[in-house]
Amino acid sequence: MRQSYRIIPVYTADVSGVCSALYELGGMTVMHDPSGCNSTYNTHDEIRWYDQDSLIYISGLTEMDAIMGNDEKFIHDIEVAASELKPKFIALAGSPIPFMNGTDFPALAQIIEEEMKIPAFSVPTNGMHDYVYGAGIALAEIAERFTDPGSKCTNPRSLNLLGITPLDFGPVSHVQKLKESLERMGWDVISTWAMGDSLDALSRSGEAAVNLVVSSVGIRAAKVLERKFGTPYVIGTPVGEFTKELSEVLEQAADKRNVSYLRNRLSGTPQVTLIGEPVTMGSLAAVIERRTNHPVQVLCPLEEYEGLLGENDRAVRGEEETEAALKHAELIVADPLYRPICPAGCRFFELPHIAFSGRIYLRKLPVFAEL
């Protein structure tokens, strides 16, 4: 029971991550599930749901269809909707029930693509992973299938921002601040993956001299673009004065000097503990260290952290392990819903994260570029 949760919530699931990553790209995303995944997604995870249209559907999987493996109904319903709506692509995302039944999503996507002549792909979600996993694979599929192979870099100070969704960054106005902070450093932002831009803009990603991965969601896409176009990438979020240092590293990477991650963190006993997504929190930790000259620790409760944690940082799994890691922390910066498992005498600073607490603290969301 070490990974059970009795006080704090779990992070947004992989299925919602797929929907969030693909929300603005003009495709049709179908969650294969009775209905629970869609209600959770649109009432907790997606702040754009009531303001911006997107073709996101639930299959309405019935008990009998699940038992009998009635994939024909699933295919038929998708094809009827696609015939009317004409999406740019069709993405299939699984949930726990079809995962247990062994539904062959790649085969279903191939059938739909052949019959509809619309690009279709599946993302191997099952509701048991977090949003970084689902969103990351979804963006990697876009990078693999929809970027123009004939694109060439013409501007040595051009870049793509990879890994941006509301789950980590909030509304598009916050994303615009990130772009403006880089533009002030002389960078031309070609595309933003995948918020505030269209699929057409993303298709031009091969024109960039370098890619900036601003959250772990964008790492898989960065690797695809590196293989496909030879584009180097840097991992880090433009946070405060850290943006200038990040810009210098981007210049080095654009010159093919093999820089992948800015890693100038302090060692020693940490004075501050941050909890959350490793790239954004690691970048914020770098800012705090430069301002205070005190080491900072990042606790990462998410799955994908390989190569993203510093000497003081650690991955935590489940509520019990997180609570134990916080036992002696004196100053904690985290989503407000972490407060109940923090030590009674610690100083706690709220840093809301949509992927953890949903819309509850929407008005308190941080603007990373202004921290």
Side-chain angles (χ1 to χ4, degrees):
M1 298 297 288
R2 286 184 178 274
Q3 293 188 31
S4 63
Y5 290 76
R6 61 188 179 88
I7 299 175
I8 63 174
V10 297
Y11 278 85
T12 296
D14 50 9
V15 185
S16 290
V18 174
C19 297
S20 185
L22 304 178
Y23 195 93
E24 299 181 18
L25 302 183
M28 184 170 77
T29 305
V30 183
M31 292 178 269
H32 197 24
D33 185 76
S35 71
C37 289
N38 196 30
S39 61
T40 300
Y41 173 66
N42 61 46
T43 57
H44 297 280
D45 302 328
E46 186 49 72
I47 62 175
R48 297 167 291 187
W49 189 260
Y50 298 105
D51 302 316
Q52 186 175 358
D53 291 337
S54 183
L55 304 179
I56 295 178
Y57 295 96
I58 199 81
S59 65
L61 181 65
T62 67
E63 183 177 9
M64 188 56 65
D65 287 340
I67 293 172
M68 302 303 293
N70 185 10
D71 294 332
E72 287 298 321
K73 178 180 182 296
F74 182 54
I75 293 171
H76 175 265
D77 290 348
I78 291 173
E79 291 182 347
V80 169
S83 297
E84 178 181 344
L85 301 170
K86 296 180 171 49
K88 294 181 180 179
F89 60 84
I90 299 170
L92 310 181
S95 65
I97 294 175
F99 173 71
M100 291 187 290
N101 289 350
T103 300
D104 191 345
F105 283 101
L108 296 179
Q110 183 177 347
I111 291 171
I112 293 169
E113 181 167 338
E114 290 175 354
E115 293 183 355
M116 295 300 298
K117 309 303 179 188
I118 297 174
F121 59 88
S122 64
V123 182
T125 56
N126 56 20
M128 302 299 175
H129 299 280
D130 59 48
Y131 72 99
V132 173
Y133 173 86
I137 296 177
L139 291 184
E141 285 284 348
I142 296 297
E144 192 72 66
R145 301 188 57 155
F146 296 96
T147 49
D148 182 3
S151 297
K152 294 183 179 180
C153 175
T154 57
N155 181 356
R157 293 192 66 82
S158 58
L159 58 79
N160 301 302
L161 292 177
L162 307 182
I164 291 183
T165 72
L167 294 170
D168 285 319
F169 293 95
V172 71
S173 59
H174 292 195
V175 178
Q176 188 59 36
K177 296 288 185 181
L178 287 181
K179 293 173 66 175
E180 289 172 358
S181 67
L182 290 165
E183 288 168 352
R184 285 194 294 269
M185 296 289 172
W187 291 96
D188 176 24
V189 180
I190 290 179
S191 65
T192 304
W193 291 59
M195 189 178 174
D197 257 332
S198 65
L199 187 62
D200 291 338
L202 270 58
S203 70
R204 299 176 47 231
S205 294
E207 299 176 14
V210 62
N211 289 319
L212 178 59
V213 179
V214 295
S215 80
S216 49
V217 167
I219 291 176
R220 292 175 187 264
K223 292 179 178 179
V224 172
L225 295 173
E226 183 180 44
R227 171 174 51 80
K228 195 170 180 179
F229 301 103
T231 312
Y233 64 91
V234 172
I235 303 174
T237 310
V239 180
E241 61 267 31
F242 182 66
T243 305
K244 181 179 180 181
E245 198 168 345
L246 199 57
S247 177
E248 293 170 355
V249 177
L250 285 166
E251 291 173 2
Q252 296 175 30
D255 287 338
K256 313 296 184 186
R257 282 186 262 171
N258 298 321
V259 177
S260 63
Y261 190 50
L262 187 57
R263 177 118 254 114
N264 293 323
R265 297 273 304 283
L266 300 178
S267 59
T269 304
Q271 304 292 308
V272 179
T273 300
L274 308 180
I275 310 175
E277 191 279 321
V279 177
T280 53
M281 291 301 99
S283 302
L284 180 57
V287 172
I288 295 173
E289 288 179 346
R290 283 151 181 73
R291 291 179 183 177
T292 65
N293 201 33
H294 293 304
V296 176
Q297 178 186 51
V298 174
L299 298 183
C300 175
L302 301 170
E303 291 178 59
E304 307 208 2
Y305 57 83
E306 186 176 351
L308 302 177
L309 300 180
E311 181 181 331
N312 286 325
D313 306 337
R314 60 176 288 191
V316 288
R317 287 287 171 269
E319 179 182 303
E320 185 176 326
E321 187 175 339
T322 304
E323 189 171 11
L326 294 170
K327 190 173 182 180
H328 301 292
E330 298 179 359
L331 195 158
I332 299 170
V333 181
D335 186 278
L337 294 187
Y338 272 107
R339 190 190 292 268
I341 66 168
C342 294
C346 75
R347 297 174 62 194
F348 188 93
F349 291 87
E350 297 183 350
L351 191 72
H353 189 184
I354 287 180
F356 190 70
S357 58
R359 304 175 187 175
I360 299 176
Y361 304 103
L362 189 59
R363 295 183 180 180
K364 296 183 179 181
L365 288 175
V367 181
F368 283 104
E370 298 180 347
L371 290 177

